[in-house]
Amino acid sequence: MTTQSTLALVTGASRNIGLEVVRQLAAKGMTVILTARDANQAQSAAASLVASGLKVVSHPLDVTDEASVRTLVDWVEAEYGRLDVLVNNAAGFADWMEKPSTADLKAVQALMEINLYGSWRVTQAFLPLLKKSAHPRLVNVASGAGSHGDMQFGLTTNGGSSASYGISKAALNALTVKFAAELAGTGVLVNAVCPGLTATAPGMEAMGARPIPEGAASIVWAATLPDDGPSGGFFRDGKPLAW
């Protein structure tokens, strides 16, 4: 897949893994739209990358707000007329001690609104522009927490803790498969990626977390697959994961 004039959009990208995904995609020659709920944070993050010579532009986006999503779609269509790569990275997190029996369901709904419905909403809205691309790629940033295959943080581990986060990511994997099935034969490759335990907070490397660039590279791999690449899969470091 050529990246010379490729246009990518990353949600939740003002810091951590999202910001590094933007940097790595732009380093491959793409023009990348960096989005975040806070317009100032998005602009500041983009400016830091532009200063190093990368093609990055910013735009505010709240994935839970239909009007915000629609405004961005209209802007991308007017400015570029298409979208080549969509990375649904925006996510919320649950308290690690949260158990399904005692979880605050209002908080659960709020998390699902970001992690599942946010990605669903953004994908629906941008799909017409993705279909205008010669090499469209859709990447959902999932987690081993939403799988049966992750023996450290998966659905059956740790006494059911962080319940809503794991459930939301399992649902995101299911959404990925459904979109891949619907879009089979259209050229749109749809995959979910787990970046692995990544050092997004101080002290996490002591817990075995890997550097942010390594986690981001998994996502970039799926965003730059060749036309005969997989679709409907769940991957880490380019290798299939059970879910």
Side-chain angles (χ1 to χ4, degrees):
M1 173 180 171
T2 180
T3 59
Q4 187 58 39
S5 59
T6 301
L7 178 69
L9 188 152
V10 184
T11 69
S14 63
R15 60 192 181 93
N16 292 334
I17 292 176
L19 180 59
E20 179 61 18
V21 169
V22 171
R23 189 195 69 77
Q24 291 187 22
L25 291 176
K28 289 180 176 293
M30 296 188 189
T31 297
V32 187
I33 303 167
L34 183 159
T35 73
R37 281 182 297 180
D38 187 295
N40 291 330
Q41 289 181 4
Q43 187 173 26
S44 177
S48 69
L49 297 177
V50 170
S52 62
L54 299 176
K55 296 179 181 178
V56 179
V57 296
S58 69
H59 200 286
L61 173 65
D62 181 348
V63 301
T64 70
D65 184 337
E66 184 70 39
S68 176
V69 174
R70 189 70 254 166
T71 296
L72 179 56
V73 170
D74 290 344
W75 178 78
V76 172
E77 184 169 25
E79 289 290 321
Y80 303 100
R82 77 186 196 290
L83 182 64
D84 301 302
V85 176
L86 173 60
V87 178
N88 284 313
N89 174 71
F93 297 90
D95 187 317
W96 175 251
M97 299 306 295
E98 178 202 60
K99 298 295 180 69
S101 60
T102 55
D104 178 343
L105 292 185
K106 288 187 178 179
V108 172
Q109 287 178 322
L111 187 72
M112 294 292 283
E113 190 62 42
I114 301 170
N115 291 6
L116 174 61
Y117 298 118
S119 295
W120 203 334
R121 179 179 296 109
V122 172
T123 300
Q124 281 188 339
F126 275 102
L127 196 53
L129 292 182
L130 282 170
K131 288 181 175 179
K132 292 182 178 181
S133 169
H135 309 281
R137 305 290 179 262
L138 170 59
V139 183
N140 291 325
V141 181
S143 170
S147 78
H148 289 282
D150 191 315
M151 294 298 102
Q152 187 175 12
F153 300 108
L155 292 168
T156 60
T157 66
N158 302 305
S161 62
S162 195
S164 59
Y165 181 76
I167 291 167
S168 73
K169 291 300 187 177
L172 184 60
N173 277 340
L175 180 68
T176 301
V177 171
K178 286 295 188 181
F179 265 116
E182 178 185 354
L183 297 171
T186 67
V188 184
L189 299 186
V190 187
N191 290 289
V193 173
C194 171
L197 182 63
T198 306
T200 56
M204 287 187 67
E205 287 188 359
M207 299 168 54
R210 59 184 180 171
I212 287 175
E214 291 184 18
S218 274
I219 299 165
V220 171
W221 170 84
T224 56
L225 284 170
D227 290 341
D228 62 351
S231 190
F234 179 39
F235 299 92
R236 182 190 293 150
D237 299 329
K239 299 176 182 179
L241 289 177
W243 67 275

